Amino acid sequence: MIYLPIAEMPVNVLLVLLVSGAVGFVSGLVGVGGGFIMTPSLIFLGVPSPVAVATGASQIAATSFSGIMAQTRRKGVDWRMGLLLSTGGVLGSMVGVWLFERLLRLGQLDLLISFLYLFLLAGVGGMMLRESLAVMRGRQLKGVSVLKLPMRTIAHRLPLRLRFPRSGLYISVLPPLALGFGIGALAGIMGIGGGFVLIPAMIYLLRMPTNVVIGTSLFQVLVVSSLIVILQSAATQTVDLVLAALLMLGGVVGAQFGARVGAGLKNEHIRALLGLLLVAASLKFLADLVIPPAEQFVLVSGQ
Amino acid sequence: MIRRLLLALALAVLAGPAVAQQRTDGAADLPAAVAEEQITVSSDYRGSFITVFGVNPDRRGRGDVVVVLRGPNEPATVLRKRRVFGLYVNGDPVRFSRAPSFFAVMSTRPLRSIASPQSIWRYRLDPAASAELASAVPGGADPSAYRAALVRLRRAQGLYQEHTGRPTAEERSGLTTYRGGLFRAVVRLPANAPIAEYSADAYVFREGRLISSQEIPITISRVGFERRIHDLATQWPFLYGLFVVLVALGAGWIAAFIFRRS
């Protein structure tokens, strides 16, 4: 047990290491930041939710950076694409945070976030699972090629084309910028890094090869989560260094193991795993929404 | 006679501001003290006990003692789960402009048999009476349901406590009275209680009327490492955030480095 100076509560050190290690493992394996698992886990451990969101982001920064280091050795990061996505992501997350405050004042925020979570997790997860299972069975899904064709033509016709040697693409910079912006806005509203939406979008919309998708999305996640830590620390002072250190320790070790295991897996297996994880998370989320709550009221301190 | 009246008036005017500062207007000061005037929080903090001593001014010990430990008042919002398209989502927020972040009340007998409901509200002797609603309750809902929910949820976290009578073997919090009017109240401050300025307030009621009271400030503060981190986070928030990011990058880099070698 150690007392957290900002969260103002003691936590079990081993338990926190275990949770962050597990999240880090998943993060290194499939290349998502893991915010959509980390934040609810911390809240479940009793950490106040603003502290959980802001401090969880610092752990995501650490694991994504260690993931990037591992991916760089395998030439798995398209820096040019990552920079474009991050630029869009930074702008988008600022708009998202602004939208968050507006919706909060309108009083419909919780409803919107619930539906966004449910549809994104279930939709993206289901799609990935279906596609990767089809590939494993040895046949190409027709829907994917339909998706791919118009995107290519748009990307080719748009100005400001750029060569992305790592990804083997020659497309306009506008689709990645717009994608980064959209994901950033979603991330700002939902309080997550957005990696789990970004990865499938890079695979299915930008047609990037899966082996560079993970490293590149980690790069975008690193930039956005670092920004969240600094902004949250400056605005709300809810970043707990002691908790962050524990989460980082568990997270980076877990991420390294995850990246090792991931290197020995086929692309479609990784996609199937991520799809499975997202569908499972959406089911958990749906259960929370559908099962009648024992306590009708929810308390939010502060504001 | 007139001179006496004038003197009393002058005294009342002089005493005016002091009386206004205390909630317990008109009641005589109660001799009381806290055993722990300073409580420090370091990395091994697991919560603490606070002991309030005092003497009932009535030599025969008549009357009832109430001791309240209050944390600072803070805003809070209570939401109610609504059903939308078959899903339960949080909605219908009700804001409290001030609600005690910590509230423990110890009394010799049940509060309701010591003081009238008016006195309980006037002196804020229970947590529900200490919370102030700031907004209208939506859709004709019962405001007392929100107030009760606030108390219930905080009680479940151990932040609101009510103890009647002396401590037992299982429950160390309580109030004990001794011969000669001496009383001692013990309350457990859980580790999740906020680190702040608290106030331990002792009251003596007789036949439902407040006859004596006292307020004692208690400071709970961080020391050592915990204090340094908190000071950094509140005084230099931007630099602190930057520092945390650098620590994160360092941790990631070290892990990648170690794992490459092995």
Side-chain angles (χ1 to χ4, degrees), chain A residues 19 31 55 78 86 94 98 117 126 137 140 148 160 199 211-212 230 233 250 270-271 274:
Chain A
V19 168
T55 309
D78 186 335
S86 310
M94 284 170 179
W98 175 79
Y117 252 112
R137 272 193 234 109
Q140 192 72 28
K148 161 187 165 185
L160 303 167
I199 287 184
N211 59 327
V212 291
I230 294 172
S233 173
I270 293 179
R271 292 208 295 271
L274 180 56

Side-chain angles (χ1 to χ4, degrees), chain A residues 81-102:
Chain A
M81 184 68 85
L83 219 57
L84 274 178
L85 288 167
S86 310
T87 310
V90 167
L91 297 174
S93 56
M94 284 170 179
V95 172
V97 169
W98 175 79
L99 268 175
F100 183 89
E101 282 168 12
R102 290 298 300 264

Side-chain angles (χ1 to χ4, degrees), chain B residues 1-8:
Chain B
M1 185 65 204
I2 288 168
R3 198 182 286 171
R4 257 191 192 177
L5 262 176
L6 276 175
L7 190 68

Side-chain angles (χ1 to χ4, degrees), chain A residues 6 11 16 22 30 35 40-41 46 50 61-62 78 107 135 138 143 151 159 172-173 189 195 229-230 262 267 290 301:
Chain A
I6 306 294
V11 288
V16 172
V30 295
S41 306
D78 186 335
V135 172
M151 197 64 204
S172 162
V173 298
I189 294 172
V229 171
I230 294 172
N267 284 340
V290 171
S301 300

Side-chain angles (χ1 to χ4, degrees), chain B:
Chain B
M1 185 65 204
I2 288 168
R3 198 182 286 171
R4 257 191 192 177
L5 262 176
L6 276 175
L7 190 68
L9 201 69
L11 275 174
V13 168
L14 280 174
V19 170
Q21 272 178 2
Q22 292 206 337
R23 273 187 295 264
T24 53
D25 39 336
D29 275 356
L30 174 69
V34 172
E36 309 86 1
E37 269 170 32
Q38 173 103 17
I39 288 166
T40 54
V41 173
S42 52
S43 57
D44 59 351
Y45 182 69
R46 304 267 180 287
S48 54
F49 284 94
I50 288 175
T51 310
V52 182
F53 290 101
V55 180
N56 183 342
D58 186 287
R59 283 184 194 163
R60 285 191 241 161
R62 286 174 299 184
D64 287 289
V65 182
V66 178
V67 174
V68 183
L69 182 67
R70 294 182 170 96
N73 282 306
E74 273 162 20
T77 306
V78 174
L79 302 142
R80 183 184 219 137
K81 289 209 186 282
R82 288 176 305 163
R83 211 150 179 217
V84 184
F85 307 122
L87 305 179
Y88 291 94
V89 280
N90 299 332
D92 297 343
V94 167
R95 252 175 56 80
F96 290 87
S97 57
R98 21 185 291 143
S101 48
F102 180 85
F103 193 102
V105 54
M106 283 125 321
S107 50
T108 42
R109 289 191 293 147
L111 214 52
R112 304 254 168 248
S113 51
I114 293 175
S116 61
Q118 289 85 352
S119 294
I120 291 176
W121 278 86
R122 183 173 173 201
Y123 302 115
R124 301 177 183 279
L125 294 181
D126 78 14
S130 308
E132 274 175 25
L133 274 169
S135 60
V137 174
D142 183 8
S144 64
Y146 280 90
R147 206 180 276 277
L150 172 76
V151 175
R152 187 169 62 242
L153 291 165
R154 284 256 164 93
R155 194 185 283 146
Q157 295 175 303
L159 295 175
Y160 288 177
Q161 307 174 11
E162 283 139 284
H163 305 285
T164 306
R166 49 180 62 223
T168 58
E170 306 90 61
E171 179 63 83
R172 279 184 64 187
S173 302
L175 196 147
T176 319
T177 49
Y178 302 89
R179 278 168 165 252
L182 183 71
F183 65 86
R184 187 184 68 146
V186 178
V187 57
R188 175 164 160 74
L189 196 65
N192 60 337
I195 299 175
E197 303 281 331
Y198 283 67
S199 177
D201 307 335
Y203 308 83
V204 172
F205 284 87
R206 201 193 299 164
E207 283 147 20
R209 261 176 12 107
L210 180 72
I211 56 164
S212 184
S213 72
Q214 180 69 271
E215 294 181 20
I216 309 146
I218 306 169
T219 303
I220 298 170
S221 52
R222 300 170 178 83
V223 288
F225 180 65
E226 307 280 310
R227 185 190 188 108
R228 248 168 278 151
I229 288 184
H230 183 259
D231 287 354
L232 198 67
T234 47
Q235 286 164 20
W236 305 92
F238 185 78
L239 282 179
Y240 175 79
L242 213 59
F243 176 68
V244 174
V245 170
L246 285 179
V247 170
L249 297 186
W253 186 79
I254 289 169
F257 186 73
I258 290 172
F259 275 81
R260 177 158 56 168
R261 297 185 75 190
S262 65

